[in-house]
Amino acid sequence: MANLGESAEGAADDKVAVLLLDDAGAVTWWSDAAAHLLGHEAREVQGRPVAQLLVDPSQWRVDASTGSAGGGGRRMFRRRTGPPVELVVRTACVDSKEGFSEAVLLSPPAPKRTVAEHGSSLLTSLLGQDRLGIVLFDARLEVVRANNPVGSAGLPPLRAGCRLHDIARAEDAEAMETHLRHVLETGIPLVGEQLRMRAAGVSGQERYLSASAVRLDDADGRPVGVAAFVADDTEQRRAMQRAAMSHEASVRIGGSLNVARTAQDIADVLVPTLADLVSVDIVEVVLEGDEPAKGVLPSGRWRMRRVAAASATGPWPADLIQVGGVIPPLPDVPQARQAALHGDTVLKTSRQELEHQLGDPDVIRALLPEKGHSLVISPLFARGLLLGFVSAWRTERAEGFRQEDADLLFDIASRAALSVDNARRYTREHRAAVTLQQRLLPHATTRSTAADSAGCYVPAGGGADISGDWFDVIPLSSLRVALVVGDVVGHGLHAAATMGRLRTAIRTLADLELDPGELLIHLDDLVQQLADEAGPEDRETIGATCLYALYDPVAGTCALAGAGHLPPVVIPPDGAGRLIEVSPGPPLGVGGMPFEVTTVRVEPGSTLALYTDGLVDRAAHDLDQGTQDLLDSLSSLCNSARGLEGIAHDVVSAMTEGPPRDDMTLLLARTRMLPTADAAHWQFPDDTSRVAEARKAVACRLADWGLDDLTFTTELIVSELVTNAMRYADGMVGLRLFHDDRTLVCEVTDSSNTQPRLIRARAGDEGGRGLFLVAQLARRWGSRYHRDGKTIWTEQTIGAGSEPQFDLVDVWDAEET
């Protein structure tokens, strides 16, 4: 019975009517409380079915069919006098010796509370709890009542009559009041607004709050205030910020293979989310790509340099060491030593302690920001190497670093250190590759009698890659010059090495005095050999394109041959640039195809431009448009008074849009032509009696040129070469003599294709001393072939000391004998 009484929920008072029923549902016992509720005495209802007491007797039978004799719920009962009454029915089975089968509990329904009572109960409950901040504002946004959590959020407690401006900074208080004022004026609730609240005064305690607010109206619907609900989300926000920062660091840091760029990414990730000032100092040898010594602290043995810095409040403070500055030697601090040797994070919270350890006022000013009060230092430690340090300062925020902040910095610095070390290793490898390629390329500018030249090479990716593009200027005999530009397939060290081999081969072949077409044939054979030597997986990547131009300043002609390369450009002194139509040939390595030679006349003062496809393909992704852009750029710049080197760089800059996808190479050569008065040409029949005439003609011309000091040796050379030509060849013998400021050139042309050979004649030999004599008299000599014969040439130096420094008597006597 007690349990039944306790379960009668919603009773109006403590009295509950109890009825006992038999198996047939008739009342066997009637309590006094039942008589009070319904007005029937016990004797009047005992023995009667309980269903007769209901307004609708069928409800009892329906309930009985569910398995419970009377059922539960609300039922309308008849009263002896007065209207029916609604009672709450509860039933329970009873097993007793009297044979009772069921007990019925009757109680009035719980009375309904008023809205005011509910509101008062709710407000009391809210103000009494300590998990959610509740603030009641009046219409002037003055505090009427608040609970404790508002003060425990790190802000001063709110008291009746105060305003938000009394506890928080003006800008934060104004932001909150703006939202509350909008709620007060419009009635639109504020839901989950994220606000920053910093305590007023020097402490500046910073918290992040989630605020919601509703308007309070009086009985007539007039607004009388605002109820604000505030939750402290500071820790959750910080946790989310740390997670977001860690994710951003993993995505952002390491995207560059440049040490300085990687260091700046570290600083930018940390500011302003974690710190107000961040600097990244790197060991100087790391910037050069080298490894720092293991287990060595930053001391006089190696220096550190500030590589990156970031500030949340504007430019980096002028008093601190700037980017690029050297970090002064630091005292031996145990914590710093531990960090350097083992990669631990150093957490500093006391500025006074730092000043005491540094000691030197100049060092303090250079390293400690004026308003810095909290510092975290984490080493960049990777693969057992100390690469540098990351220093984070709090200057504007009053709150110092906590251990979780130091742990986050350590995690970011540990991962970033691997990126810095990867950048260091790339710097080392790239420096070696670039050095190799630069050593393989010639001087950027050259000056000769035939032409002045300037070359420009821009690696792909803004210097990040290297390739097999090259240019070369090769001085040849008879004051001629060879201009070469080429492009090896692929990128990287293999392409640079292949380029070096091809450039060496071209220089060797050029010294053999081959014409451009024959030279490319030999070069094509070499590329095929390189492909055969390569592995099966690399054979398809062995190949190159090349353009070889041979300019003769005496004739004013240029002979060209191309192997799959773009045609050159010629810019006359006062005209627009145009392409030189060169008979196309296959790329090097194809084999079995000839390379035709195209010969054109070049006006003195013209500019020849040889280039690789990276220059024109970069300009507009359209080769024809890119070529036209190159013509326009060259035409406008080459007619200016600028030097060739400046023109080359300007052209490359004009044709570049961002980091180039492919290497770009440009070679410019401004041609000259030897004055007609500095050259002489004679033809003699193959009659040895005319040799004396040739000597006399040469002597007279040298006297006219003021080169009398070379007359003796030149006569000897001409005598030997003309005599041999007349003796061993048929037809006319050509003699050509010309000079510039430094060199006198003598050429003898005949119809024979026999190769002259230099031998040392024995004492009993009747001949064989002619070329030996020529080789001794000339600075250098050689021969070149053409379709109808050959030309033997010699060069002598003009100036003091040009006469031979040996005794010719024995050689001359032997020859006369």
Side-chain angles (χ1 to χ4, degrees), residues 535-768:
E537 67 280 2
D538 296 327
R539 287 176 183 171
E540 297 298 326
T541 63
I542 302 296
T545 65
C546 182
L547 180 67
Y548 186 89
L550 180 61
Y551 176 69
D552 186 348
V554 179
T557 59
C558 185
L560 307 101
H565 207 83
L566 296 175
V569 174
V570 60
I571 303 95
D574 299 319
R578 61 178 178 82
L579 293 176
I580 299 177
E581 297 297 332
V582 178
S583 299
L588 298 175
V590 174
M593 299 292 290
F595 298 94
E596 296 187 21
V597 178
T598 300
T599 302
V600 296
R601 293 196 62 82
V602 179
E603 186 179 351
S606 299
T607 302
L608 290 171
L610 288 69
Y611 53 94
T612 56
D613 58 356
L615 185 65
V616 293
D617 187 41
R618 177 64 187 171
H621 305 291
D622 181 350
L623 198 59
D624 293 337
Q625 182 61 46
T627 304
Q628 184 59 50
D629 293 342
L630 177 63
L631 286 172
D632 295 340
S633 180
L634 286 170
S635 299
S636 62
L637 291 172
C638 288
N639 291 325
S640 66
R642 294 205 61 190
L644 286 181
E645 188 173 9
I647 292 175
H649 284 91
D650 288 348
V651 170
V652 171
S653 299
M655 300 291 292
T656 303
E657 300 174 358
R661 296 175 303 161
D662 194 8
D663 290 14
M664 299 190 300
T665 302
L666 176 64
L667 175 62
L668 300 179
R670 184 160 292 161
T671 61
R672 294 190 182 91
M673 189 170 180
L674 200 69
T676 305
D678 292 341
H681 182 266
W682 302 275
Q683 290 284 338
F684 300 100
D686 55 349
D687 182 358
T688 55
S689 63
R690 305 290 295 273
V691 174
E693 182 181 346
R695 289 200 301 264
K696 182 178 179 182
V698 167
C700 291
R701 185 51 58 95
L702 291 177
D704 294 339
W705 290 341
L707 300 177
D708 301 272
D709 55 333
L710 294 176
T711 300
F712 175 67
T713 55
T714 306
E715 284 184 348
L716 291 178
I717 293 172
V718 169
S719 178
E720 293 297 331
L721 296 181
V722 171
T723 299
N724 287 339
M726 292 179 175
R727 182 177 299 171
Y728 300 110
D730 298 328
M732 300 296 289
V733 175
L735 173 62
R736 189 166 69 162
L737 195 69
F738 53 90
H739 73 93
D740 62 4
D741 295 338
R742 294 169 296 178
T743 305
L744 174 66
V745 180
C746 178
E747 294 182 346
V748 176
T749 302
D750 60 46
S751 60
S752 173
N753 288 320
T754 304
Q755 180 180 3
R757 297 178 60 193
L758 178 65
I759 62 174
R760 182 179 293 274
R762 294 187 295 270
D765 293 342
E766 295 183 358

Side-chain angles (χ1 to χ4, degrees), residues 244-254 265 269-270 412 415:
M245 188 187 308
S246 180
H247 174 71
E248 183 185 3
S250 63
V251 172
R252 186 169 179 178
I253 300 174
D265 288 340
V269 165
L270 298 176
I412 293 176
R415 286 180 288 161

